[in-house]
Amino acid sequence: MNSYCLATYRCYDEKADFHKKALGIAVGLTVGSWTELPEAQKAQMEKHLGKVISVEVHEPASSDSALERYADIQIAYPDVNYSRDIPALLVTVFGKLSMDGKIKLIDLSFSSDFLSGFPGPKFGMKGVRDLLGVHDRPLLMSIFKSVVGYELPALREQFYLQAAGGVDLIKDDEILFENPLTPLEKRIEVCMEAAAQASKETGQKLLYAVNLTGPTFQLAEQAKKAIRAGANALLFNVLAYGFDVLHALSSDPEITIPIMAHPAMAGAVYPSPHYGMSASVLLGKLMRLAGADIVLFPSPYGSVVMPREENLAIKHALLTEDLRKDYLYGESSIEPRLAASFPVPSAGIHPGLVPLILRDFGGDVIVNAGGGIHGHPMGTIAGGQAFRQAIDATLKDQSLRDYASTHPELQKAIDTWGIKE
Amino acid sequence: MNSYCLATYRCYDEKADFHKKALGIAVGLTVGSWTELPEAQKAQMEKHLGKVISVEVHEPASSDSALERYADIQIAYPDVNYSRDIPALLVTVFGKLSMDGKIKLIDLSFSSDFLSGFPGPKFGMKGVRDLLGVHDRPLLMSIFKSVVGYELPALREQFYLQAAGGVDLIKDDEILFENPLTPLEKRIEVCMEAAAQASKETGQKLLYAVNLTGPTFQLAEQAKKAIRAGANALLFNVLAYGFDVLHALSSDPEITIPIMAHPAMAGAVYPSPHYGMSASVLLGKLMRLAGADIVLFPSPYGSVVMPREENLAIKHALLTEDLRKDYLYGESSIEPRLAASFPVPSAGIHPGLVPLILRDFGGDVIVNAGGGIHGHPMGTIAGGQAFRQAIDATLKDQSLRDYASTHPELQKAIDTWGIKE
């Protein structure tokens, strides 16, 4: 029996016949030609033919010339046409078509059959919580302030100060590559040492996501080298390497630590209304499908802004959405539900935003800050503590202002950055 | 002595201080912070600091509110900050920054030092010509009409008809993946057999670019399997896998056949004026840097349209541009000039466009057609012949109309599709 993956496009055109366009996509990106085929051949080719599922045309009210005419077109692509890998699916549904005028891939769903090739996140949200032993609150992550050009002692000091403030995760800067000042193995050694020192004081565990970089074909070996050196998490610039590489790394049984996906370069693809892919596909569904345990994406709060509804769509794709949508089927006997990826809305976060983040994301979120920790007037340790206090206050349903009256670090953070509700 | 790669951005903003923004990029994407550093540390960090090279602000005439305010900002990034691979460079210059508002990467140049890690195209335009023994005319390529769902005999027949018409190259459809009907090795076997048969009749050599697909970490082995099976060229969906994978394949000494880069998915990145990367960076400079021998891109002539000046910028980047621009240097002692990649403007091409293509691209171009060959009223063989006749006529400086009076295949093509001058 045939199975299909589903792609939804938003196409803009002032006067196109969108139904004809949809048919052109369904035929052109599968069997190539249809109406002129002999009947006998049609029977044989039917299972390779794409199907138009829906065409929703949005005509602008004639009074408002600023609105554009567009249609949302959903096409079902037969799984029999492509292999069970992300490049094959993406080239099929948005290879040539990506260059065909104003068109954006706004949704993508996978059949049970296609999904069966993807184990998904090895740890996922629950696995990351298990590693840290924290199940009752949002996690806190911090980012190094400056790393390029710094030597090991300076890096170790920065690491310790972050860890001592009570953060759960620390990530490398995504622009820190293999370099003579802080080479991978040495960096892991001194940072894990600093983590152990802080742990004695805080009683907490900590994950350090070290940046996995270098030539593609050496990444798996590089990851294993990091693990041998003591790394307990990896940071990975997925879009610079491709989703299939993340899939290969996440499903490698010898890579036994969580992978954190960085969204570097994503802004080349998601923000245009007319081109590219929606953020929920790019940073949501595909990241989870490819097995990211933790996914960073631009928050709706800070300097690098993404609209709130797009953010919540990413969250939904990472946490709760069933990526499987079987066309022509009822319930499948297979249950290929993937583990949830931990969402990390990032950029511009300070303690005064914590109640808002928790309202938008619930408890299953990693609060992530850089400047909001290092820039604390009382120092980096106080910066981490202020965030932990903001999280505690919010979970206890207390206002930040009240809680701050007995927590000077939070008070100072509020004095500096304010509260946004 | 320091060396730098140069990135140029076009930033749109109604009221930003673009000089301040430029400085923010130069510092933020390198050392992280600068003005607050102690003087002693500044001396040490100077070599890691990005430099603002130029800021050209374009203020719209106040009378025309449809024009947007923008600036072209060029930044020099110190090579010491990143490793010698494309992911590291792209994550540095357009990782986080890609998500920072309306900003497009419109140019990228490489230092001699960075370039020294890239051998470039192994064959390049000249090598491809040498393999075919054709140096005195543009080449002709054709694309299968329909392939998905077809069996080996039908594929062989299509291949033979294309080859017998006198084409120099035939490429797989980019959406033909490993599949039970026409598996890689069998496909190569029957197509190379058909090529040999046609060669006896035409006296020509032919390159068949078979689609290299599947899991990233198996691509090198898959390429070698194809070579063992007799393949003499590879097609590769570069953007679905990443530029670094192309680089690894092209610099693998055991991959001894040319690689043809397909632009599938490029439309997610280049067309927006506000986001992504320019086509000349994406499909020009980076493809050549990564070692593509032949590069397909949307033509300015047909159904999938790209503006002519963008096309010519791609051509320039592939063929003649010196990708090296050394900032702070005079002439370098190193001469890392890369071989030229063969340009293939594609989509919507018919014989009546040949004079225009040759005027735009000169003789160093591959004329590439699908429908313009298979759709010829006298059949696929005549379709190829008509193109060869159009090329001959143009090289002899004869008008297509005159030449067609003694060449019925060309005449029929002109009757069908017209001439565009």
Side-chain angles (χ1 to χ4, degrees):
Chain A
M1 204 149 70
N2 299 344
S3 70
Y4 298 80
C5 288
L6 302 174
T8 309
Y9 310 96
R10 183 158 292 176
C11 311
Y12 295 82
D13 197 297
E14 280 173 35
K15 48 184 198 293
D17 176 343
F18 285 121
H19 289 85
K20 194 176 156 195
K21 185 171 177 79
L23 206 60
I25 295 170
V27 173
L29 300 186
T30 59
V31 297
S33 51
W34 185 251
T35 47
E36 62 264 41
L37 291 185
E39 287 307 315
Q41 209 181 343
K42 279 188 183 172
Q44 184 196 332
M45 297 293 277
E46 169 71 29
K47 67 171 182 236
H48 296 281
L49 177 66
K51 316 275 181 203
V52 178
I53 304 300
S54 61
V55 180
E56 288 173 23
V57 182
H58 296 254
E59 301 284 354
S62 57
S63 58
D64 190 346
S65 65
L67 291 178
E68 289 176 273
R69 181 173 180 266
Y70 72 91
D72 289 344
I73 294 176
Q74 190 173 49
I75 306 287
Y77 292 89
D79 283 337
V80 67
N81 289 359
Y82 39 81
S83 42
R84 295 292 167 271
D85 56 84
I86 296 176
L89 182 64
L90 287 180
V91 167
T92 296
V93 308
F94 208 50
K96 201 180 288 172
L97 190 59
S98 73
M99 296 176 277
D100 192 16
K102 286 186 178 174
I103 185 165
K104 184 168 183 172
L105 179 68
I106 59 171
D107 202 8
L108 194 57
S109 307
F110 317 103
S111 67
S112 297
D113 188 38
F114 187 84
L115 266 187
S116 67
F118 295 84
K122 194 182 281 166
F123 294 85
M125 187 174 58
K126 184 173 175 305
V128 169
R129 285 192 173 286
D130 287 346
L131 287 174
L132 290 167
V134 178
H135 295 89
D136 55 351
R137 60 167 172 83
L139 300 182
L140 177 62
M141 175 153 94
S142 86
I143 306 172
F144 283 97
K145 186 186 178 194
S146 298
V147 290
V148 170
Y150 284 74
E151 302 196 11
L152 286 168
L155 206 72
R156 187 193 191 288
E157 174 69 5
Q158 263 195 67
F159 192 100
Y160 169 75
L161 295 174
Q162 295 173 85
V167 310
D168 302 293
L169 305 100
I170 297 176
K171 65 171 270 294
D172 261 353
D173 200 317
E174 77 281 1
I175 57 167
L176 186 63
F177 306 101
E178 194 54 320
N179 74 91
L181 295 177
T182 52
L184 185 82
E185 288 168 294
K186 285 281 176 202
R187 195 157 88 232
I188 293 167
E189 187 189 320
V190 302
C191 290
M192 294 310 287
E193 224 179 75
Q197 182 191 341
S199 182
K200 279 186 204 149
E201 300 158 19
T202 63
Q204 278 186 222
K205 291 180 184 172
L206 188 145
L207 292 175
Y208 165 42
V210 69
N211 200 13
L212 180 64
T213 68
T216 307
F217 290 166
Q218 294 169 28
L219 288 171
E221 185 42 44
Q222 187 75 355
K224 290 163 200 174
K225 191 168 112 179
I227 293 169
R228 285 193 299 271
N232 61 5
L234 297 166
L235 177 72
F236 188 50
N237 290 306
V238 177
L239 300 176
Y241 288 97
F243 286 106
D244 187 63
V245 176
L246 173 58
H247 168 57
L249 296 171
S250 72
S251 48
D252 184 330
E254 292 177 43
I255 297 179
T256 50
I257 57 179
I259 300 176
M260 183 185 295
H262 194 278
M265 300 179 63
V269 176
Y270 72 75
S272 167
H274 299 129
Y275 304 102
M277 302 183 203
S278 68
S280 60
V281 170
L282 190 75
L283 298 175
K285 291 189 174 190
L286 290 171
M287 289 293 187
R288 184 166 163 217
L289 181 70
D293 298 294
I294 300 169
V295 178
L296 278 78
F297 51 90
S299 82
Y301 314 110
S303 49
V304 176
V305 170
M306 179 187 285
R308 185 169 172 276
E309 61 274 26
E310 244 178 293
N311 243 258
L312 297 185
I314 296 177
K315 169 202 159 192
H316 181 56
L318 293 177
L319 277 183
T320 45
E321 192 164 0
D322 190 351
L323 304 187
R324 182 189 53 150
K325 290 212 176 57
D326 278 320
Y327 166 64
L328 297 182
Y329 279 109
E331 281 301 298
S332 165
S333 55
I334 316 166
E335 188 47 79
R337 199 182 162 80
L338 305 177
S341 306
F342 224 138
V344 193
S346 299
I349 310 292
H350 57 78
L353 283 166
V354 167
L356 192 57
I357 297 172
L358 268 58
R359 198 189 315 148
D360 282 345
F361 284 85
D364 290 330
V365 68
I366 298 179
V367 176
N368 179 30
I373 287 183
H374 300 288
H376 195 287
M378 293 160 69
T380 300
I381 295 180
Q385 289 168 336
F387 267 103
R388 287 293 305 274
Q389 292 161 7
I391 292 171
D392 289 346
T394 309
L395 292 182
K396 288 176 183 166
D397 234 355
Q398 294 187 23
S399 83
L400 294 194
R401 233 171 273 286
D402 287 352
Y403 204 77
S405 65
T406 52
H407 295 84
E409 295 84 4
L410 180 57
Q411 184 62 55
K412 201 74 183 172
I414 293 172
D415 294 345
T416 307
W417 294 293
I419 297 178
K420 199 174 161 191
E421 276 159 317
Chain B
M1 206 150 69
N2 299 344
S3 71
Y4 297 80
C5 288
L6 302 174
T8 310
Y9 310 95
R10 183 159 292 175
C11 312
Y12 295 81
D13 198 296
E14 280 173 37
K15 47 184 198 296
D17 177 342
F18 285 121
H19 289 84
K20 193 175 157 196
K21 184 172 178 76
L23 206 60
I25 294 171
V27 173
L29 300 185
T30 58
V31 297
S33 52
W34 185 251
T35 47
E36 61 265 41
L37 291 186
E39 287 307 314
Q41 208 181 346
K42 277 189 183 173
Q44 184 197 332
M45 296 292 277
E46 169 71 30
K47 67 170 183 239
H48 296 280
L49 176 66
K51 316 275 181 203
V52 177
I53 305 299
S54 62
V55 180
E56 288 173 24
V57 181
H58 296 253
E59 300 284 354
S62 59
S63 58
D64 190 348
S65 67
L67 291 178
E68 288 177 270
R69 181 173 180 267
Y70 72 90
D72 289 344
I73 293 175
Q74 190 173 47
I75 306 287
Y77 292 90
D79 283 335
V80 68
N81 289 359
Y82 38 82
S83 44
R84 296 293 167 272
D85 57 84
I86 296 177
L89 182 64
L90 287 180
V91 167
T92 298
V93 308
F94 208 50
K96 200 180 289 174
L97 191 58
S98 74
M99 297 177 276
D100 190 17
K102 288 187 178 173
I103 185 165
K104 183 169 183 172
L105 180 66
I106 59 170
D107 202 7
L108 194 56
S109 306
F110 317 103
S111 66
S112 298
D113 187 39
F114 188 83
L115 267 186
S116 67
F118 296 84
K122 194 182 282 165
F123 294 85
M125 186 172 61
K126 186 176 174 305
V128 169
R129 285 192 173 285
D130 288 346
L131 287 173
L132 290 166
V134 178
H135 295 89
D136 56 351
R137 60 168 174 82
L139 300 182
L140 177 62
M141 176 154 94
S142 87
I143 306 171
F144 284 96
K145 188 186 176 192
S146 297
V147 290
V148 170
Y150 285 74
E151 302 197 9
L152 286 167
L155 206 71
R156 187 193 191 288
E157 174 69 4
Q158 261 195 69
F159 192 99
Y160 169 75
L161 294 175
Q162 296 173 85
V167 310
D168 302 293
L169 305 101
I170 297 176
K171 65 172 270 293
D172 262 353
D173 200 318
E174 78 280 0
I175 57 168
L176 187 63
F177 306 101
E178 196 53 321
N179 73 92
L181 296 177
T182 52
L184 184 82
E185 288 167 294
K186 287 282 176 201
R187 195 157 89 231
I188 293 167
E189 187 188 320
V190 303
C191 289
M192 294 310 286
E193 223 178 74
Q197 182 191 341
S199 182
K200 279 187 202 149
E201 299 157 19
T202 62
Q204 278 186 219
K205 292 179 179 169
L206 188 145
L207 292 176
Y208 165 41
V210 70
N211 201 14
L212 181 63
T213 68
T216 306
F217 289 165
Q218 294 169 27
L219 288 172
E221 185 43 42
Q222 187 75 352
K224 290 163 199 173
K225 191 168 113 179
I227 293 169
R228 285 193 299 272
N232 61 5
L234 298 166
L235 178 71
F236 188 51
N237 290 308
V238 178
L239 301 175
Y241 289 98
F243 286 104
D244 187 63
V245 176
L246 172 59
H247 169 56
L249 296 171
S250 72
S251 48
D252 185 329
E254 292 176 43
I255 298 179
T256 52
I257 58 179
I259 301 175
M260 183 185 294
H262 194 280
M265 300 179 63
V269 177
Y270 72 73
S272 166
H274 298 130
Y275 303 102
M277 301 183 204
S278 69
S280 61
V281 170
L282 191 75
L283 299 174
K285 291 187 174 190
L286 290 172
M287 288 292 188
R288 186 167 162 216
L289 181 70
D293 297 295
I294 301 169
V295 178
L296 278 77
F297 51 90
S299 82
Y301 314 112
S303 49
V304 176
V305 169
M306 178 188 286
R308 185 168 171 278
E309 59 274 25
E310 243 179 294
N311 244 257
L312 297 185
I314 297 177
K315 170 202 158 193
H316 181 54
L318 293 177
L319 278 183
T320 47
E321 191 164 1
D322 190 351
L323 304 187
R324 181 190 54 151
K325 289 211 178 58
D326 278 320
Y327 167 64
L328 296 182
Y329 278 109
E331 281 301 298
S332 164
S333 54
I334 317 165
E335 188 46 80
R337 197 182 163 80
L338 304 178
S341 306
F342 224 139
V344 193
S346 299
I349 309 291
H350 56 77
L353 282 167
V354 167
L356 192 57
I357 297 172
L358 269 58
R359 201 190 312 148
D360 282 347
F361 284 84
D364 290 331
V365 68
I366 298 179
V367 176
N368 179 31
I373 287 183
H374 299 287
H376 195 288
M378 295 160 68
T380 298
I381 295 181
Q385 289 167 335
F387 267 104
R388 288 293 303 274
Q389 292 160 7
I391 291 171
D392 289 346
T394 309
L395 292 181
K396 289 174 181 165
D397 232 356
Q398 295 185 24
S399 83
L400 293 194
R401 231 170 272 287
D402 287 351
Y403 203 78
S405 64
T406 53
H407 293 86
E409 295 84 4
L410 180 56
Q411 184 62 55
K412 201 71 182 175
I414 293 172
D415 295 346
T416 307
W417 294 294
I419 296 177
K420 199 174 162 192
E421 278 159 316

